[in-house]
């Protein structure tokens, strides 16, 4: 079982490591991952051996608090919790500034010739006491550092708060000691009292706490921004919906919707739940879910998704899913889960964080001892030790990976890409080979009947009727295309029974006493059917980019029906982008070699693996991995499931309203192959950002700690004061989070308009004679679209067909396609 818990009391990656270790050592826990940004723990455990309260108790035993959603304990959303935390820290910061400014004036004003009240200027005791009284409110406002820091220190698991508490506490205690010394010396030696008053550290204690709180505030504000993508998705659902109740239209809160309700939506309104249109029609803007900027036409019987906008029209729809069951809710869950998982690269920071704070305390003590041994005096030695404690920042290490992953997955969601885990996002940047399924991925998957060749003595109507009677049992794209064609031709269907699918061969059923069968040429030969010129026919159809199916009744050959699949307009651009990323691209299909190669040539794929059965695709991916390739497999997420699971990164295309594609690591909501390139580009951007963050965090500490310890003091006289150390520490966390926020502006590389308009792109207008009705126009359009790489639209009123193609197409091929459909091209423009 996997469950998420809300954790309170964590401040840095050391806290994160303590919580993870406390839960991971429980019997029955398979994994435990803490998200420092969201203050959550995701635990996967065996329900039979462990309960929710056991995990909560383990977290509390580690010194933190935990609650499972649904308990009475606070269970605020990560977005709201981040905002509330930012507000609390903001108040602490400005309150601290209010006392810090007069403290700095009193303690350092004289250094820049600012006037002080006469009593304070000439009375060392009053001078020291005033600073002490101004420091106390700052200590009180930021008492959380002391209560939490010393609690963790005494528990044997120190964290960042422990370092701040030790550093600022040491400065405050040192100042208090000097205060008593000044008061004592005033009655003994006034000159000595004045000299002692120069060594007060109250301003350092207050400045450290204020600057750290400033860093925490900036960090909290940045955390709010990292969750903007999730917040924006949540806000997509409208607060109210117009519902038909007892024949009247009433407005109710969206929480009151139940499956079966009829909801009314007008142009410009957001859709409140998933449902099916029962009346009306229009165009829906689904860009928030799929990244598709063009509104999609919606008619009766089509699905609507919660959070989308009805751009135009009027619809009534029946509610099918509400609340957590909607597509939008599934997307939000996927984005949150991805942000909550850990990338393998984060393990390095985890290992360092686990020992970081104790090591820093040890270095600070060593610094104190060494400088005392060198005879540098107590004040100098304490100052160096405090600087070491304050400058060390495990926060930057802990935030390096999760901030980049969270912002990256949010950016992906805005582009219609759902990343299921941080590990998948990291693996994607290592991909060297992209395997593309052909049908439904490179091509549209919407098959059309392109050609019907009846055997001698068999009419075209008889062939279509027999074939459709057999194929209407199947849901294969060929079968759907054939059934639609038979309906258009008004071909009668016959009663058949005992339907059987034979993978890699075809189908068969019983019609009366005869067996009715259809499939590839291999299947015909196994049945002992003689197909005249079968091999040459296969070669010719494959060369034209069509797939022929052969049909037989009993031992009588009925004829051939060829099907074609149109190539998606975006496929060639996607392949170009993938190649520009220096990736190998492979086309994988169960289709025949010639047809597959024709498609590959059209979109620019050099390597084609054809004739592969669905169950064999996984073996192909495994073989590529054995050759040392890191493989990304893009498919439709259904028949490609084994290959998607086997691949290092599985990408499911065109998930649309079905986001729960279990076999894929990355789900592309839009049916556009360029999404594969975008996902891989984003992965590279995120990992580059993570490495920058980790480098900065490690480099900062490697450079900062020795500098604070004073290693450059003897050769150069350089020494870092505790105040500058606090400022540098705060800056490191802010820099890491700010760098991650740059991913919000990620824009995928696109194919330039110049390339789209140039190259071999072709557009022609064919003037056609003989078309008299919409059926004629449909036949011509199907015939032209059957040609590989060709997109055609017929305008019946002009008696013309506008033809576009990604590559060169011979005029004679266009004319022949129209002629084969029964019409004649009289001019080409």
């Amino acid at each position: 079982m996997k469950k998420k818990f809300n954790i309170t009391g964590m401040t840095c990656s050391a806290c994160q490591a303590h919580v993870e270790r406390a839960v991971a050592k429980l019997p029955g826990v398979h994994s435990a991952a803490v998200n420092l940004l969201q203050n959550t723990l995701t635990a996967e455990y065996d329900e039979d051996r462990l309960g929710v309260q056991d995990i909560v108790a383990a977290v509390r035993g580690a010194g933190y608090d935990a609650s499972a959603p649904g308990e009475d304990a606070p269970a605020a959303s990560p977005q709201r919790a981040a905002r509330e935390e930012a507000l609390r820290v903001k108040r602490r910061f400005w309150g601290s500034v209010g006392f810090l400014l007069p403290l700095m004036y009193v303690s350092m004003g004289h250094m820049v010739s600012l006037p002080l009240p006469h009593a304070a200027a000439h009375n060392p005791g009053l001078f020291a006491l005033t600073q002490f009284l101004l420091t106390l409110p700052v200590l009180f406002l930021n008492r959380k550092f002391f209560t939490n820091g010393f609690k963790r220190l005494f528990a044997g698991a120190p964290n960042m708060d422990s370092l701040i508490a030790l550093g600022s506490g040491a400065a405050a205690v040192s100042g208090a000691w000097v205060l008593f010394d000044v008061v004592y010396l005033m009655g003994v030696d006034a000159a000595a009292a004045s000299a002692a008053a120069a060594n007060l550290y109250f301003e350092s204690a207050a400045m450290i706490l204020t600057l750290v709180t400033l860093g925490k505030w900036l960090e909290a504000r940045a955390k709010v921004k990292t969750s903007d993508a999730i917040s924006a998705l949540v806000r997509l659902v409208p607060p109210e919906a117009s519902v038909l109740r007892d024949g009247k239209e009433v407005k109710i809160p969206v929480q009151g919707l139940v499956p079966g309700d009829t909801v009314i939506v007008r142009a410009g309104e957001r859709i409140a739940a998933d449902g099916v249109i029962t009346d009306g029609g229009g165009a829906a803007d689904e860009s928030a879910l799929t990244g598709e900027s063009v509104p999609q036409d919606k008619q009766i019987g089509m699905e609507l998704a919660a959070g989308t906008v009805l751009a135009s029209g009027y619809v009534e729809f029946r509610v099918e899913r509400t609340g957590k069951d909607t597509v939008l809710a599934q997307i939000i869950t996927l984005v949150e889960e991805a942000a909550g998982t850990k990338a393998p690269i984060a393990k390095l920071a985890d290992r360092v964080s686990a020992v970081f704070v104790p090591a820093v305390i040890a270095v600070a003590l060593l610094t104190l001892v060494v400088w005392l041994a060198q005879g540098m005096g107590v004040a100098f030695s304490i100052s160096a030790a405090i600087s070491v404690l304050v400058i060390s920042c495990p926060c930057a290490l802990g935030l390096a990976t999760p901030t980049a992953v969270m912002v990256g997955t949010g950016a992906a969601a805005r582009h219609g890409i759902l990343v299921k885990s941080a590990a998948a996002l990291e693996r994607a940047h290592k991909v060297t080979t992209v395997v593309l399924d052909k049908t439904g991925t490179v091509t549209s998957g919407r098959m059309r009947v392109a050609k019907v060749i009846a055997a001698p003595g068999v009419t075209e109507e008889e062939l279509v009727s027999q074939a459709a009677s057999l194929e209407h049992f199947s849901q294969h794209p060929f079968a759907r295309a054939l059934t639609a064609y038979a309906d258009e031709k008004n071909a009668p269907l016959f009663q058949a029974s005992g339907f059987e699918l034979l993978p890699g061969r075809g189908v068969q059923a019983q019609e009366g006493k005869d067996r009715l069968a259809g499939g590839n040429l291999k299947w015909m030969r196994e049945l002992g059917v003689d197909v005249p010129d079968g091999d040459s026919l296969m070669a010719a159809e494959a060369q034209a980019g069509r797939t022929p199916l052969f049909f037989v009744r009993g031992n009588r050959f009925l004829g051939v029906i060829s099907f074609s699949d149109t190539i998606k307009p975006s496929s060639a651009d996607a392949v170009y982008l993938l190649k520009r990323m220096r990736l190998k691209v492979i086309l994988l299909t169960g289709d025949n070699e010639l047809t597959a190669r024709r498609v590959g040539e059209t979109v620019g794929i050099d390597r084609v693996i054809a004739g592969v059965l669905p169950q064999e695709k996984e073996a192909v991916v495994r073989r590529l991995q054995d050759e040392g390739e890191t493989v990304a497999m893009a498919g439709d997420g259904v028949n490609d499931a084994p290959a998607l699971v086997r691949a290092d990164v599985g990408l499911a295309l065109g998930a649309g309203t079905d986001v729960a594609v279990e076999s894929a690591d990355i789900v592309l909501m839009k049916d556009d192959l360029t999404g594969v390139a975008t996902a891989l580009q984003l992965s590279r951007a995120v990992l580059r950002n993570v490495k920058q963050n980790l480098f900065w965090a490690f480099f900062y500490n490697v450079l900062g700690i020795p500098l604070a310890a004073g290693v450059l003091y003897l050769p150069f006289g350089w020494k870092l004061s505790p105040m500058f150390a606090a400022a540098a520490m705060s800056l490191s966390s802010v820099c890491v989070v700010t760098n991650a926020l740059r991913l919000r502006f990620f824009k995928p590389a696109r194919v330039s308009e110049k390339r789209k308009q140039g190259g071999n792109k072709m557009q022609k207008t064919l003037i056609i004679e003989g078309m008299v009705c919409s059926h004629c126009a449909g036949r011509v359009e199907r015939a032209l679209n059957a040609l590989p790489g060709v997109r055609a639209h017929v305008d019946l009123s002009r008696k013309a067909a506008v033809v576009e193609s990604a590559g060169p197409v011979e005029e004679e091929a266009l004319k022949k396609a129209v002629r084969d459909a029964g019409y004649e091209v009289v001019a080409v423009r």
Side-chain angles (χ1 to χ4, degrees):
M1 179 181 181
K2 183 183 284 188
K3 195 170 184 66
K4 184 179 283 189
F5 298 81
N6 298 313
I7 309 295
T8 56
M10 296 189 301
T11 59
C12 67
S13 56
C15 302
Q16 173 183 327
H18 296 322
V19 173
E20 285 179 351
R21 281 201 303 270
V23 176
K25 68 183 181 182
L26 291 174
V29 172
H30 304 301
S31 66
V34 169
N35 187 315
L36 192 60
L37 279 173
Q38 296 181 334
N39 290 316
T40 59
L41 160 71
T42 301
E44 190 172 350
Y45 59 94
D46 187 347
E47 271 189 294
D48 297 331
R49 303 179 61 189
L50 209 61
V52 169
Q53 291 305 319
D54 296 316
I55 294 176
V56 170
V59 174
R60 288 173 179 168
Y64 306 88
D65 200 8
S67 64
E71 295 183 2
D72 294 334
S77 71
Q79 295 79 34
R80 190 174 67 184
R83 289 190 182 89
E84 291 174 352
E85 177 63 16
L87 182 60
R88 283 194 296 270
V89 179
K90 175 184 176 181
R91 289 170 179 166
R92 275 171 42 203
F93 168 70
W94 286 114
S96 300
V97 168
F99 290 97
L100 177 66
L101 292 178
L103 172 61
M104 296 300 294
Y105 180 86
V106 171
S107 63
M108 296 185 172
H110 62 281
M111 297 180 183
V112 290
S113 302
L114 291 177
L116 280 177
H118 184 273
H122 296 83
N123 187 324
L126 185 59
F127 177 75
L129 184 61
T130 302
Q131 293 185 48
F132 175 68
L133 293 176
L134 287 171
T135 303
L136 285 179
V138 180
L139 295 174
F140 177 77
L141 286 170
N142 297 283
R143 61 191 180 280
K144 182 178 178 182
F145 288 116
F146 297 96
T147 55
N148 190 39
F150 286 119
K151 177 182 177 183
R152 302 303 316 143
L153 182 63
F154 295 142
N159 61 3
M160 192 204 77
D161 285 354
S162 303
L163 298 179
I164 301 304
L166 286 171
S168 59
V173 170
S174 174
W177 178 266
V178 172
L179 170 62
F180 284 108
D181 192 32
V182 168
V183 172
Y184 170 75
L185 289 173
M186 283 183 65
V188 179
D189 186 344
S194 296
N199 294 319
L200 292 166
Y201 278 101
F202 290 128
E203 78 283 352
S204 292
M207 181 65 82
I208 288 169
L209 293 173
T210 304
L211 288 175
V212 171
T213 303
L214 172 62
K216 286 287 185 182
W217 177 33
L218 295 176
E219 185 183 306
R221 288 180 62 191
K223 284 182 180 180
V224 171
K225 291 181 180 179
T226 63
S227 61
D228 276 353
I230 297 175
S231 301
L233 288 173
V234 172
R235 291 193 298 269
L236 289 177
V237 179
E240 292 183 326
S242 299
V243 184
L244 281 178
R245 293 279 168 88
D246 299 324
K248 294 181 180 180
E249 181 181 340
V250 295
K251 281 193 175 292
I252 65 169
V254 70
Q255 294 84 357
L257 288 176
V258 294
D261 277 342
T262 298
V263 177
I264 296 172
V265 185
R266 296 176 176 83
E269 294 181 347
R270 287 198 178 274
I271 292 154
D274 290 357
V276 176
I277 297 175
T278 56
D279 193 13
D285 179 358
E286 299 177 337
S287 58
L289 267 62
T290 67
E292 176 60 70
S293 58
V294 179
Q296 304 297 301
D297 289 336
K298 297 292 181 180
Q299 302 170 2
I300 293 175
M302 298 182 74
E303 291 189 350
L304 293 172
T308 58
V309 179
L310 189 66
S312 62
Y314 166 91
V315 298
E316 295 179 10
F317 72 91
R318 182 180 65 253
V319 174
E320 298 288 332
R321 294 178 295 274
T322 63
K324 294 183 178 180
D325 297 324
T326 63
V327 172
L328 180 62
Q330 292 181 54
I331 292 174
I332 293 171
T333 299
L334 285 176
V335 174
E336 286 181 335
E337 286 182 353
T341 59
K342 281 194 175 183
I345 196 172
K347 293 178 181 177
L348 173 62
D350 288 348
R351 287 196 294 270
V352 173
S353 298
V355 297
F356 185 82
V357 176
V360 168
I361 294 174
V363 171
L365 290 174
L366 180 64
T367 300
L368 177 66
V369 171
V370 168
W371 285 121
L372 286 174
Q374 292 289 325
M376 296 301 296
V378 175
F380 181 94
S381 302
I382 290 178
S383 175
I386 291 173
S387 296
V388 170
L389 290 170
V390 173
I391 199 170
S392 307
C393 184
C395 273
L397 289 172
L399 293 170
T401 301
T403 48
V405 169
M406 190 166 187
V407 179
T409 51
R414 287 196 298 274
H415 287 90
I417 300 169
L418 304 181
V419 182
K420 289 191 173 181
S421 68
L425 196 63
E426 179 174 339
R427 287 197 305 270
H429 96 285
K430 300 177 182 176
V431 166
T432 57
T433 298
V434 179
V435 178
L436 304 176
D437 175 52
K438 182 177 80 70
T439 305
T441 304
V442 174
T443 62
S444 67
R446 293 184 289 273
M447 295 292 175
R448 299 183 179 188
V449 173
K451 197 173 184 180
V452 178
I453 307 173
V458 179
T459 65
E460 182 176 317
E461 181 181 344
E462 181 183 358
L463 170 58
V464 171
S465 294
Q466 294 285 344
S469 299
L470 170 64
E471 293 283 1
H472 87 278
F473 290 103
S474 174
Q475 289 300 310
H476 192 280
F478 287 147
R480 291 197 295 268
L482 183 54
T483 302
Y485 183 78
D487 288 342
E488 182 185 323
K489 293 290 187 179
N490 296 317
L493 298 185
F494 303 97
Q495 186 67 38
S497 61
F499 176 82
E500 184 181 0
L501 171 67
L502 298 104
R505 292 175 175 80
V507 293
Q508 65 179 5
Q510 200 71 21
E511 187 185 333
K513 295 181 179 179
D514 294 326
R515 176 176 57 189
L516 190 60
N520 56 28
L521 190 58
K522 176 183 177 182
W523 177 226
M524 294 295 106
R525 287 172 176 164
E526 288 182 12
L527 294 174
V529 177
D530 180 32
V531 179
D533 300 320
D535 290 324
S536 59
L537 179 62
M538 277 284 296
E541 291 300 288
Q543 191 65 37
R546 296 189 288 262
T547 302
L549 292 184
F550 303 85
F551 293 90
V552 61
R553 179 186 175 119
N555 290 320
R556 183 189 179 199
F557 179 58
L558 297 175
V560 183
I561 299 178
S562 293
F563 299 83
S564 66
D565 186 6
T566 56
I567 296 173
K568 292 179 184 177
S570 62
S571 294
D573 289 347
V575 172
Y576 169 78
L577 290 170
L578 291 171
K579 284 186 170 182
R580 199 168 73 177
M581 294 169 69
R582 298 184 179 179
L583 298 172
K584 301 173 187 174
V585 185
I586 298 173
L587 184 66
L588 185 63
T589 178
D591 217 334
N592 66 74
E593 183 83 16
L594 286 173
T595 301
R597 288 202 174 280
R598 184 67 180 270
V599 172
E601 288 169 5
T602 303
V603 299
I605 298 176
D606 302 319
R607 185 177 177 186
V608 174
I609 302 176
V612 180
L613 297 176
Q615 60 269 31
E616 295 173 346
K617 291 181 179 180
E618 183 267 348
V620 172
V621 172
R622 186 170 63 245
R623 187 168 68 246
L624 289 169
Q625 291 171 327
D626 291 341
E627 293 171 3
E629 302 290 344
T630 302
V631 181
M633 170 74 188
D636 61 14
V638 182
N639 62 338
D640 299 315
L644 290 172
V645 173
R646 167 59 63 180
D648 297 283
V649 180
L651 300 106
L653 263 79
T657 56
D658 181 18
V659 299
V661 184
E662 295 297 333
S663 54
D665 300 300
I666 298 175
V667 179
L668 308 180
M669 298 291 289
K670 190 165 58 172
D671 193 13
D672 185 339
L673 196 58
T674 56
V676 175
T678 300
L680 298 181
Q681 289 168 21
L682 181 63
S683 169
R684 291 183 177 185
V686 169
L687 263 293
R688 186 164 54 247
N689 194 282
V690 168
K691 289 175 181 177
Q692 290 168 353
N693 287 346
L694 286 174
F695 170 79
W696 169 254
F698 280 118
F699 176 76
Y700 162 83
N701 282 292
V702 167
L703 185 67
I705 293 176
L707 183 63
V711 295
L712 298 180
Y713 181 75
L714 293 179
F716 302 107
W718 293 353
K719 179 180 175 297
L720 198 66
S721 76
M723 287 184 288
F724 282 107
M729 188 277 289
S730 298
L731 183 63
S732 68
S733 292
V734 174
C735 285
V736 164
V737 178
T738 304
N739 185 51
L741 287 173
R742 292 190 304 113
L743 289 169
R744 297 170 71 202
F745 309 106
F746 167 80
K747 290 184 179 179
R750 295 296 186 198
V751 177
S752 66
E753 287 300 320
K754 182 177 179 181
R755 182 182 183 275
K756 286 183 177 181
Q757 294 168 5
N760 296 321
K761 187 171 181 180
M762 181 209 76
Q763 186 178 69
K764 293 181 183 292
T765 301
L766 312 181
I767 307 302
I768 301 169
E769 190 177 78
M771 296 190 300
V772 295
C773 66
S774 59
H775 289 297
C776 300
R779 278 193 287 272
V780 171
E781 197 168 283
R782 279 197 302 274
L784 290 170
N785 282 321
L787 296 173
V790 170
R791 288 186 294 167
H793 173 70
V794 174
D795 185 343
L796 186 61
S797 64
R798 294 170 54 203
K799 305 290 193 231
V802 179
V803 177
E804 292 183 350
S805 74
V809 178
E810 296 292 334
E811 279 188 18
E812 188 53 42
L814 298 173
K815 291 179 179 179
K816 184 178 184 302
V818 174
R819 196 161 49 244
D820 289 344
Y823 306 90
E824 195 67 36
V825 177
V826 295
V828 179
R829 296 172 183 167

